[in-house]
Amino acid sequence: MRRGVNNWVTKGTEFEAWTPVTFPLDGPDFVVSFYAEDLGADESLVASWPDRIGSNNAVQGTGANQPKVNVEADGKKAVDFDGVNDGLSITEVSALDFSPGDPISLVIVTGQKAWGTDSMIFFKGDTSSSVTGLEYGFYTPSADNIRGNIYGAQSSNSVKTTSGVDVWIVVSNGSTAELFKNGVSEDTWSVGTADISSDIWIGSRLGTAKFFSGSIRAVGIANVELDSGQLAGINGYDW
């Protein structure tokens, strides 16, 4: 039995209609949700990445600093960041401003492009430190390595799949956090105390430094510690 693009399930000699899987970052616990398949044609610049939940779009008004859409080898779209000056910002609103003790979950689906080093994939914080200067985010300390960060405390390194697509999820109950790669737990740690007012950036630190070289297919933030069923739905999606 195989569910294909024509939305049918083969059962013997009969065909049964099925309902496509709901996009897993559109659930009621998510406060923002971004998906590269919502964007334009291959090689087009991304001035605004629309938020699927509301109006908290990720934007870049300067053309020279806009990432571009890249249709990767498997035919799926990703947002390609050049590692030089690309970055998208999301204006801080109350729904995106968490405080130590609050539950939070972060989801990043990275594409097939190899990563650079010492860069911010996803960032809310200041310039004081690549660790304690984050309220939350994902950091690449070295090529093809990633660390999740909640309230200024970070996970150990996890390694990107070479030429592969990876689903990175951090879940936190407000006191501890856990990093998952493709559904497998990579690390658990105690969160910090950082509580920083700033806009949120995809692909850089505040649009001025630590520019990310790599590709991203989806981003989501939830205001809960995602449960096992939600994690399974995210990891089981056809990214």
Side-chain angles (χ1 to χ4, degrees), residues 30-32 56 92-98 104 136 200 221-223:
F30 280 86
V31 292
V32 289
N56 298 305
E92 181 186 41
V93 296
S94 59
L96 300 174
D97 186 21
F98 296 82
I104 181 174
Y136 56 78
I200 299 91
I221 304 175
N223 59 10

Side-chain angles (χ1 to χ4, degrees), residues 12-236:
T13 57
E14 301 176 355
F15 293 89
E16 298 178 354
W18 68 286
T19 301
V21 176
T22 302
F23 185 68
L25 306 188
D26 285 353
D29 294 323
F30 280 86
V31 292
V32 289
S33 168
F34 303 95
Y35 190 29
E37 292 296 329
D38 296 334
L39 295 171
D42 188 30
E43 300 295 322
S44 60
L45 294 176
V46 181
S48 178
W49 195 355
D51 172 21
R52 296 171 60 94
I53 301 295
S55 57
N56 298 305
N57 299 337
V59 300
Q60 176 55 260
T62 302
N65 299 343
Q66 292 169 356
K68 66 180 181 180
V69 177
N70 181 28
V71 176
E72 299 194 300
D74 61 358
K76 300 293 183 67
K77 292 180 183 178
V79 180
D80 189 301
F81 294 83
D82 65 4
V84 177
N85 55 15
D86 288 351
L88 299 169
S89 66
I90 308 163
T91 300
E92 181 186 41
V93 296
S94 59
L96 300 174
D97 186 21
F98 296 82
S99 298
D102 292 341
I104 181 174
S105 296
L106 310 176
V107 181
I108 292 275
V109 181
T110 53
Q112 296 174 321
K113 182 179 178 180
W115 301 343
T117 185
D118 188 25
S119 60
M120 296 295 176
I121 301 179
F122 187 58
F123 176 89
K124 184 179 189 294
D126 60 29
T127 61
S128 62
S129 166
S130 295
V131 181
T132 58
L134 274 75
E135 183 175 302
Y136 56 78
F138 288 94
Y139 171 58
T140 61
S142 55
D144 291 338
N145 282 265
I146 189 171
R147 296 177 183 174
N149 190 309
I150 300 294
Y151 305 133
Q154 66 181 1
S155 70
S156 60
N157 280 346
S158 187
V159 181
K160 182 189 187 303
T161 301
T162 302
S163 301
V165 177
D166 291 307
V167 180
W168 309 96
I169 304 174
V170 169
V171 299
S172 175
N173 60 11
S175 59
T176 61
E178 187 169 8
L179 171 66
F180 293 87
K181 172 190 174 183
N182 301 330
V184 177
S185 178
E186 297 280 284
D187 191 24
T188 302
W189 70 101
S190 296
V191 306
T193 59
D195 189 4
I196 300 167
S197 178
S198 78
D199 289 343
I200 299 91
W201 282 81
I202 304 173
S204 78
R205 184 182 70 187
L206 301 177
T208 60
K210 297 191 181 298
F211 292 99
F212 175 58
S213 177
S215 59
I216 299 174
R217 295 192 178 187
V219 179
I221 304 175
N223 59 10
V224 300
E225 180 185 16
L226 296 173
D227 62 31
S228 59
Q230 291 169 305
L231 295 178
I234 295 167
N235 284 292

